[in-house]
Each structure stands twice: as structure tokens, then as C-alpha cells.
Amino acid sequence: MVLKHLLATQNVGPAMAKVLCVLYDDPTVGYPTAYARDDLPQVPGYPGGQTLPTPRGLGFTPGQLLGSVTGALGLREYLESQGHTLVVTSDKDGADSVFDRELVDADIVVSQPFWPAYLTAERIARAPRLKLAITAGIGSDHVDLDAAIEHGITVAEVTHSNSISVAEHVVMMILSLVRNYLPSHQVVLDGGWNIADCVARAYDLEGMHVGTVAAGRIGAAVLRRLAPFDVHLHYTDRHRLPRAVEDGLGLVFHESAADMVPFCDVVTINAPLHPETEGLFDDELIGAMKRGAYLINTARARIADRDAVVRALESGQLAGYAGDVWFPQPAPADHPWRTMPHHGMTPHISGSTLSAQARYAAGTREILENWFAGEPIRDEYLIVDGGKLAGAGAHSYSTNR
Ligand code: NDP
């Protein structure tokens, strides 16, 4: 009876499971045989005291490319030596994709937000064995959480694994837009030297008002990193930060994004995509920003209205937009964010540095080891479990239910 209950509440994986892993393609020149650097710096732990992943084994050398098909998140030897089946593919979209075909008898799906395997309600309905969906990284909005709840699927992500990676990218993008870095670099590539072309849109960040929508792991890390630039810092969040943190960084709290944005020269979005945040930056909210403000979105594309962003750049309401998140991913060749003026977009890369990959691959292995051993997955990794939002998911996400 006890065993039956344990099985019913999951977290006891089948003895031989099929793990379906959706990863991005290898580099166009082939899987690397050498790397730009010889090692990764040792990071002692995460801010706030959370420990780094603690798998029993690793299966890769930190610094290797793990997020692409050949890298296989370093999981192949571990899974196959335990008798499990590992299927790795980058072919994820459309009814005849490898992902679609292999999903029908998969027990576990692993996917990264950079190359998301969209686990829609329809797909979940066609995957009767599916019990665990792991996000190798952070942000599980590519999984229909309502459907996961309904079908008793556990959703877990490797919380904190790439938060600092993204925070560094945000700071880079803020400086890049404000200082007009990319167009100036293009002048060099083009063989030119017109200083005025470069500086006619270049400013200092010093003295500007910078606000973050959400001050969770990434948002707070961005605030801490920006404080030494002598800027004025603002934030909005569902929960207020401790008074000591506010005072230490000189933060101004606002009840909502609408309250905050009129004060800001730069706004950075660091909230999850869920029903409360979808479409938040529409014509009205962007229109409430200061003329010539910069908007940085490394959270999720659909938090901003795609066409409203284009309109605001064209009219000059926004002086720049940058980020690495698109919808859908990969973005089609004619996506308007590729060609809109004054943008600093990259593909979805900020959370997938080699440094981050080492952490989220280790975290993925830790989750799998726990699952197969019938041990609890760390609470901070859980998004959905036991038919409801759980752990980190209960804190930061909402559903349509
Ligand atoms: P956290 O869970 O640490 O922080 C998210 C914060 O958002 C929480 O403080 C939460 O509030 C807040 N929040 C949720 N809803 C709202 C809302 N409606 N208004 C204001 N604040 C809100 O997550 P991370 O900081 O680690 O990551 C944030 C997001 O960044 C991820 O969900 C993901 O989408 C994205 N991301 C992008 C990556 C990339 O490569 N570009 C990589 C990693 C993450 P509270 O908890 O107080 O309720």
C-alpha cells in the first residue's frame, strides 16, 4: 500500500526509462575538439546560500559544449549504463518531428529554453508514459503547466544555474545600447572612422534611472551589478525585498510596472512568463515610458508585444531594445525583431554559456539520479509536482486554473 502510494505520487522512475532529450544543433563547423579556455573558474555557491548541483557523478568535463546534440548534457554514459534509453534530437517542431514521434512512449523529456521542446497540452495528451519534464536551465513556460498538473507530470528546472549568466548579459546589453556599442563596432568592421556616426546616439549610463520588473534571482543580481555604476535603481515585484537589501542598494520600490516605468531611462524585464506577465509591455505600457528609454528583455519574448516594440523603436519612443528571447524559437528569418531599428538582439544564448551549461547539466543529472532512486527532488528545483504548482513554481508562477 505504501509503495503504491509512493508510485502514485511519482518520483519513482521506471527501472528502464526512455529519456527524450531535445537539444540545439552542434556548431555549423562540427562539435568542438578544442576550446578557447582551458578551465572554468570555481564558483563556491549561489548568492543566498543555495548550493551548486550535487550529482553523484558528472560524465563530462566542465567547459565542454554540453547543450548541443553531441554534448547530450553529458548524460549518455550515465543513462545507458543504467539500462535507460537516451534519444537526443534537435528536430522538435511539427507533427512529423523526431520529438513528436519519440514522445509517444517517452517517460522523461529534457529540454533547454534556448531550443525549447514545446510540451503543449496536445502533445502531453499523446504522451501517456510521460511523468517528468526537466528544464535544463531556468524557465518552464515551454511546458503547458496546466496540462502537466492535470496529467500528474512533475516539472523541474535547475534553479539558479544560469541566473548570474543572464544578469551579466543584461548588464552587457544595457551598456551596449546606452553607449551605442554595436553600431560603432559595425563602423570598424566596415572599414570606417566617422566618430560622429558612432557618438550621435551614445550616452553614459551614470546618473540614469534603471528599473527591473521582478527582483528574483536574476533581477536582484542585475541590481547588485549595476549599483557601482552610480545609477538610481528601481524595482517592482510581487514580493518586496528585505529592507536591508533595499537600503543597501538604495532601491526605490514601485507597486507595479506601470507605476515604475515613467521614472526609468532603462527598464529590464526579469519576470517569468505566466498569465500575469504575458503581453505586459504593450503599446500602453511602452507609451508610459520616458521617450528615448531603453528596454532590455532577457526573460521571455511574449512578456512584450512583438509589434508594439517595433512601433516604439520606429517612432523613437524607445531608443533601443535588446534581449535574447524570441517567440517562437528558433525565430523565423523574417521575424521583425531581426530588422527593427536600434536593437541589440542575440539568439537565446545568455543562459547557455559554457559556464552555465556545466551547472545545469550537473543539475539535470542530480534531478535524474533523485528520480530514479525515488528520492525527493530539491524543493527549489520543482515547478509542478503532485498535481499542483510546487517549490520554486509555487512562489513565482501562476496558472490559468
Ligand atoms: P526567480 O523565480 O528567481 O525570479 C522571478 C521573479 O519574478 C520573482 O521574484 C517573482 O516574484 C517575480 N514575478 C513573478 N511574476 C511577477 C509579476 N507579475 N510582476 C513582478 N514580478 C513578478 O527567477 P529568475 O530570476 O531565476 O529567472 C527569471 C526569468 O528569467 C525566468 O523565469 C526565465 O523566464 C528567464 N530566464 C532567461 C534566461 C535566458 O537565457 N535568457 C535564463 C534563465 C532565466 P515573487 O517570487 O516575489 O512572487
Side-chain angles (χ1 to χ4, degrees):
M1 184 64 192
V2 171
L3 179 64
K4 195 170 161 210
H5 173 73
L6 266 176
L7 285 166
T9 54
Q10 291 137 32
N11 218 5
V12 180
M16 284 165 66
K18 173 173 167 183
V19 181
L20 176 54
C21 203
V22 176
L23 301 177
Y24 45 78
D25 286 313
D26 284 348
T28 43
V29 293
Y31 190 74
T33 52
Y35 291 88
R37 295 178 50 79
D38 295 329
D39 56 14
L40 297 182
Q42 295 288 325
V43 177
Y46 297 123
Q50 187 188 315
T51 58
L52 294 169
T54 50
R56 292 178 194 110
L58 211 49
F60 60 84
T61 305
Q64 277 181 313
L65 179 63
L66 302 166
S68 74
V69 169
T70 300
L73 294 174
L75 294 172
R76 186 167 295 283
E77 198 190 322
Y78 157 63
L79 287 172
E80 292 181 346
S81 69
Q82 310 274 316
H84 303 301
T85 303
L86 175 65
V87 177
V88 184
T89 182
S90 63
D91 182 21
K92 69 183 183 72
D93 295 315
D96 198 35
S97 60
V98 173
F99 176 54
D100 240 43
R101 288 202 305 272
E102 296 284 350
L103 185 62
V104 289
D105 61 349
D107 299 286
I108 297 170
V109 166
V110 182
S111 151
Q112 303 164 107
F114 324 104
W115 190 258
Y118 292 111
L119 264 178
T120 59
E122 298 75 38
R123 278 176 159 162
I124 286 175
R126 282 188 281 109
R129 293 173 58 104
L130 185 62
K131 282 284 167 272
L132 175 64
I134 302 176
T135 303
I138 303 173
S140 297
D141 49 275
H142 57 282
V143 180
D144 186 316
L145 297 183
D146 290 307
I149 287 170
E150 198 176 314
H151 287 79
I153 295 169
T154 295
V155 181
E157 59 185 46
V158 191
T159 307
H160 235 320
S161 58
N162 55 16
S163 308
I164 301 302
S165 321
V166 180
E168 289 187 2
H169 208 79
V170 172
V171 173
M172 174 187 81
M173 285 183 151
I174 291 173
L175 288 167
S176 165
L177 287 183
V178 170
R179 306 193 59 84
N180 207 33
Y181 168 58
L182 290 172
S184 305
H185 182 59
Q186 190 61 47
V187 167
V188 171
L189 296 179
D190 294 343
W193 194 265
N194 189 312
I195 306 293
D197 279 350
C198 302
V199 300
R201 294 183 67 87
Y203 298 88
D204 291 348
L205 182 62
E206 184 183 27
M208 287 193 175
H209 289 253
V210 184
T212 175
V213 176
R217 293 174 185 86
I218 296 173
V222 170
L223 292 169
R224 288 196 302 274
R225 276 157 183 72
L226 285 177
F229 282 87
D230 293 331
V231 290
H232 306 276
L233 294 172
H234 302 250
Y235 80 104
T236 182
D237 198 295
R238 299 195 307 188
H239 301 92
R240 208 160 162 171
L241 291 168
R243 185 69 187 266
V245 175
E246 286 190 355
D247 290 348
L249 294 172
L251 304 180
V252 179
F253 173 75
H254 302 265
E255 289 291 340
S256 68
D259 288 344
M260 182 182 80
V261 299
F263 296 97
C264 295
D265 304 285
V266 180
V267 173
T268 156
I269 307 174
N270 297 295
L273 174 66
H274 61 127
E276 274 176 34
T277 56
E278 186 163 358
L280 181 64
F281 278 80
D282 56 7
D283 285 307
E284 190 183 344
L285 189 60
I286 295 174
M289 296 172 76
K290 285 174 74 167
R291 192 192 78 83
Y294 304 89
L295 183 57
I296 286 78
N297 179 10
T298 52
R300 284 298 178 261
R302 284 187 293 151
I303 296 174
D305 177 318
R306 186 191 72 169
D307 298 332
V309 168
V310 178
R311 282 190 287 274
L313 288 168
E314 286 172 352
S315 72
Q317 173 60 16
L318 285 178
Y321 181 94
D324 66 334
V325 284
W326 307 68
F327 186 79
Q329 292 187 172
D334 63 351
H335 193 294
W337 286 4
R338 290 183 188 269
T339 49
M340 63 191 180
H342 312 305
H343 81 81
M345 295 297 297
T346 62
H348 194 168
I349 56 165
S350 65
S352 195
T353 54
L354 296 175
S355 323
Q357 289 173 45
R359 290 188 293 270
Y360 66 68
T364 301
R365 169 127 174 203
E366 179 189 325
I367 292 168
L368 287 168
E369 287 176 354
N370 290 152
W371 180 262
F372 290 129
E375 295 163 355
I377 294 169
R378 288 191 204 200
D379 208 43
E380 66 252 33
Y381 289 169
L382 290 174
I383 302 299
V384 169
D385 192 41
K388 56 183 184 341
L389 289 175
H395 190 75
S396 296
Y397 283 79
S398 66
T399 67
N400 285 312
R401 298 161 80 86

